[in-house]
Amino acid sequence: FDAQFMTGFGVAATHGLPDTGLLGASEMATAARTVCGSTSLPVIVDGDTGYGNAINVKRTIRTYAACGAAGVMIEDQVSPKRCGHTKGKDVVDIGEALARVQAACDARDEIGPDGPLIMARTDSRAVLGLGDALERCTAFAMAGADITFLEAPQSVEEMREYCNAVPGYKMANMLAHGVTPTLPPAQLAEFGFSIAAYPLDLLNASIRAYERALSSIKSGIPQSKVDDLSFKDAQAAVGFPDYWAEEERYRVTRTSDRVGSAE
């Protein structure tokens, strides 16, 4: 993979919460610092609505940049926001949406060449229709957004129209069992998408794996070979071998050890 995406849905889930704006900026920043610090891949993080007005958006971008984010997504939902494939969402007017995006782009530019990419998202499709969503994405691109993201198009035809109508780089959200058709990467690229996010696939797989393991434990049945993992492999997955190699590199011989050897 070329990049990682820190999804707000996933971060909320690790707190045992739905993605309905219940987490604040500090909790999201803590998650971003952890994710960015544990991978060598560039990470795009979910900046939600920016947590306030345009000035708050600028602070959000600077905070995530300090956490090591390579990109930050800012959206046009009202606060509290929610997962774009669920009911009850609403969007701010296009003026306020553009102010958020412009502030994010200004913060990026003020940071300098290492500033994070800005992904500008609209959830307008479900609220005001495809035409409004296309207008917003075009305006976001013109305002300087590096990537646009039209959330939850409802058909292949809408996905194709988005790519044909809006300039610049575009992201497709391949949310499992969501309202957008799930297409193979080659077809997405053919339409004109530059990035595809799969925000729930790993979460869904882990939930099912937890359920199977807990069911096996409770029933007294040995864990399925499908989900079995040796302790050695588990250690490798969380970095023990790398730690041991570094530990050996900096090993210090204690005086008591040298005296014992001499005797």
Side-chain angles (χ1 to χ4, degrees):
F1 294 92
D2 299 312
Q4 292 182 330
F5 187 82
M6 191 193 86
T7 161
F9 193 114
V11 176
T14 65
H15 288 74
L17 298 170
D19 183 18
T20 52
L22 294 172
L23 295 185
S26 60
E27 292 163 305
M28 291 295 290
T30 297
R33 189 175 296 108
T34 299
V35 172
C36 293
S38 62
T39 180
S40 60
L41 290 174
V43 180
I44 300 172
V45 301
D46 190 346
D48 293 323
T49 63
Y51 309 105
N53 63 15
I55 311 304
N56 294 91
V57 171
K58 293 185 75 172
R59 184 170 186 267
T60 296
I61 300 302
R62 290 193 292 264
T63 298
Y64 279 141
C67 293
V72 182
M73 182 178 75
I74 294 293
E75 65 188 68
D76 62 358
Q77 282 198 50
V78 300
S79 183
K81 56 87 60 184
R82 61 193 61 210
C83 170
H85 290 248
T86 59
K87 65 181 182 178
K89 65 180 184 176
D90 199 359
V91 294
V92 298
D93 63 51
I94 190 169
E96 184 174 348
L98 272 172
R100 289 179 185 176
V101 174
Q102 186 63 66
C105 293
D106 287 346
R108 171 201 63 198
D109 296 342
E110 290 164 8
I111 292 168
D114 295 328
L117 298 177
I118 301 302
M119 178 187 293
R121 161 180 160 176
T122 182
D123 284 76
S124 180
R125 167 63 187 90
V127 182
L128 300 174
L130 181 63
D132 186 84
L134 294 175
E135 179 184 353
R136 289 181 183 229
C137 283
T138 300
F140 295 164
M142 294 299 100
D146 300 288
I147 309 162
T148 62
F149 169 24
L150 194 161
E151 173 67 301
Q154 298 179 9
S155 68
V156 170
E157 290 72 28
E158 289 190 2
M159 297 169 75
R160 186 183 287 111
E161 185 172 354
Y162 165 44
C163 288
N164 290 337
V166 178
Y169 297 105
K170 291 168 279 285
M171 189 182 84
N173 186 15
M174 297 289 93
L175 188 140
H177 309 296
V179 302
T180 300
T182 302
L183 304 178
Q187 189 172 1
L188 294 173
E190 179 184 334
F191 284 2
F193 288 102
S194 306
I195 306 173
Y198 298 81
L200 291 189
D201 291 66
L202 296 181
L203 177 62
N204 291 350
S206 64
I207 290 171
R208 288 304 186 204
Y210 291 151
E211 290 175 342
R212 287 193 296 270
L214 290 169
S215 178
S216 295
I217 292 169
K218 189 170 184 178
S219 63
I221 301 173
Q223 190 172 357
S224 166
K225 293 295 182 182
V226 175
D227 297 319
D228 193 22
L229 186 71
S230 71
F231 184 48
K232 181 179 179 180
D233 289 340
Q235 293 175 78
V238 298
F240 272 101
D242 292 335
Y243 177 85
W244 289 326
E246 287 287 277
E247 185 178 48
E248 193 61 35
R249 179 183 178 186
Y250 298 109
R251 182 175 298 281
V252 177
T253 302
R254 295 182 176 86
T255 301
S256 58
D257 294 336
R258 290 198 298 269
V259 172
S261 298
E263 295 176 348

